[in-house]
Amino acid sequence: MTVTSDAFLRHYDAYKDRVYTYFWYRTGFQREIAEDCTQDVFLKAFRAFASFDDEREFGPWIFRIAHNHLVNYYRSRRPTVPIEEVRDGILAHAPSDIEGRLGARDRPLQALFDHGVDLAEPAHRAGDEQTGEGAVARFEIARAGRGGERLFER
């Protein structure tokens, strides 16, 4: 073993249980997920260990890697709902006179829905299907949410 490997193993032995516990609590006490995340974090840390500054503490460095990994874990498992389902759900609960309650700002969006325009298409043209489509959906949902409550009040 090299000096670098020995140093990493000492840090691994000192922090493996703490990193596992960090994931165990934050994943709802799911042992398998906590183990997988812990393994992934130490693998990332080992690959980047050459860039670790020995003058600094190992704990904050490894927990920053763990935190970033946890954020990416949840981000990759975020549920998505097609915009059509959102629209259909909103319209199913809308009062019959919703057309008269729409403001001038909302009418162009309603016209797009009425003509069957696929809101995902502009996102695909934007070039990034993964983030573009979600951005369009989040924008439209947020826009519908502002003032949307007053549309459904009786």
Side-chain angles (χ1 to χ4, degrees), residues 100-152:
R101 295 182 183 197
L102 288 176
R105 191 181 97 195
D106 299 316
R107 287 193 184 103
L109 181 59
Q110 183 61 44
L112 290 174
F113 282 142
D114 291 344
H115 292 351
V117 172
D118 180 14
L119 292 178
E121 182 57 32
H124 294 293
R125 280 187 269 137
D128 188 353
E129 181 179 324
Q130 184 177 10
T131 58
E133 185 172 323
V136 170
R138 283 191 300 277
F139 171 77
E140 296 303 338
I141 291 168
R143 184 169 164 220
R146 287 193 309 264
E149 298 82 17
R150 64 185 152 77
L151 293 175
F152 301 111

Side-chain angles (χ1 to χ4, degrees), residues 8-152:
F8 184 80
L9 285 175
R10 281 193 304 279
H11 289 304
Y12 172 78
D13 288 337
Y15 285 93
K16 67 180 177 189
D17 292 335
R18 289 186 244 180
V19 171
Y20 170 81
T21 303
Y22 173 83
F23 285 119
W24 186 66
Y25 277 108
R26 284 160 183 80
T27 59
F29 312 107
Q30 298 181 41
R31 184 180 55 84
E32 295 84 11
I33 295 172
E35 288 172 353
D36 290 345
C37 289
T38 301
Q39 175 181 322
D40 292 344
V41 163
F42 278 102
L43 183 60
K44 287 178 186 178
F46 182 74
R47 289 179 177 157
F49 194 65
S51 67
F52 174 67
D53 182 4
D54 291 337
E55 300 297 317
R56 297 186 174 264
E57 291 289 323
F58 185 79
W61 186 70
I62 194 70
F63 277 102
R64 174 50 50 193
I65 295 171
H67 172 77
N68 291 344
H69 185 77
L70 186 66
V71 168
N72 291 336
Y73 169 80
Y74 279 116
R75 184 177 291 148
S76 69
R77 284 151 184 81
R78 184 180 350 194
T80 58
V81 177
I83 191 71
E84 293 80 18
E85 288 182 27
V86 173
R87 179 200 64 202
D88 294 344
I90 290 171
L91 294 178
H93 296 92
S96 59
D97 64 341
I98 191 165
E99 298 269 336
R101 295 182 183 197
L102 288 176
R105 191 181 97 195
D106 299 316
R107 287 193 184 103
L109 181 59
Q110 183 61 44
L112 290 174
F113 282 142
D114 291 344
H115 292 351
V117 172
D118 180 14
L119 292 178
E121 182 57 32
H124 294 293
R125 280 187 269 137
D128 188 353
E129 181 179 324
Q130 184 177 10
T131 58
E133 185 172 323
V136 170
R138 283 191 300 277
F139 171 77
E140 296 303 338
I141 291 168
R143 184 169 164 220
R146 287 193 309 264
E149 298 82 17
R150 64 185 152 77
L151 293 175
F152 301 111

